Amino acid sequence: MKSIIGSTIETTSPDETFEAGRQLGLLAKPGDIYTLNGDLGVGKTVFTQGVAKGLDISGHVNSPTFTIVQVYDSGRLPFYHFDVYRIGDIEEMDEIGYEDYFFGDGVCMVEWADLISDLIPQNAKKITIEKNLEKGFNYRKITLE
């Protein structure tokens, strides 16, 4: 399957946004780190749920807003889903042992990664999700770099 990194995907429904994430999950390899940025309510969690599905993660995946990281190890690769929106101090990342996740054998998805940009490895792939209400309420532009 061809990589979707380096492309832009336009979706017009939550199901299509989920599917874009699933395609990324199917292609994910051990050690992949993805940063995920976009406004509140843009579909970051829906996209991440798709990634988890592509990794064969069973069970419900939700945003770990209050726990910072959620670990899923029921799929073909461990999946580490970070949401750093509420992080008060970058030292909190040290407290949860972020390096074990970032430099481990799983796949990391970091929502609001711009808030901890100093900690993100250079090899991380950047994903941005944007709305454009002129194109419809459910329109999303997903840029994968």
Side-chain angles (χ1 to χ4, degrees), residues 102-121:
F102 281 16
F103 302 106
D105 292 331
V107 174
C108 291
M109 179 67 70
V110 185
E111 292 188 38
W112 300 100
D114 288 349
L115 298 174
I116 60 164
S117 60
D118 290 346
L119 301 180
I120 301 296

Side-chain angles (χ1 to χ4, degrees), residues 45-108:
T45 300
V46 170
F47 183 85
T48 300
Q49 289 168 338
V51 172
K53 183 68 171 178
L55 290 168
D56 294 324
I57 303 291
S58 58
H60 186 67
V61 172
N62 57 1
S63 189
T65 301
F66 295 101
T67 59
I68 304 198
V69 64
Q70 189 73 7
V71 176
Y72 303 94
D73 55 12
S74 65
R76 69 176 176 84
L77 293 170
F79 184 46
Y80 311 121
H81 180 198
F82 290 82
D83 183 334
V84 298
Y85 182 73
R86 296 193 186 283
I87 198 162
D89 188 315
I90 204 160
E91 289 177 5
E92 288 180 56
M93 293 298 290
D94 287 326
E95 292 171 14
I96 63 169
Y98 80 94
E99 289 177 327
D100 293 338
Y101 301 109
F102 281 16
F103 302 106
D105 292 331
V107 174
C108 291

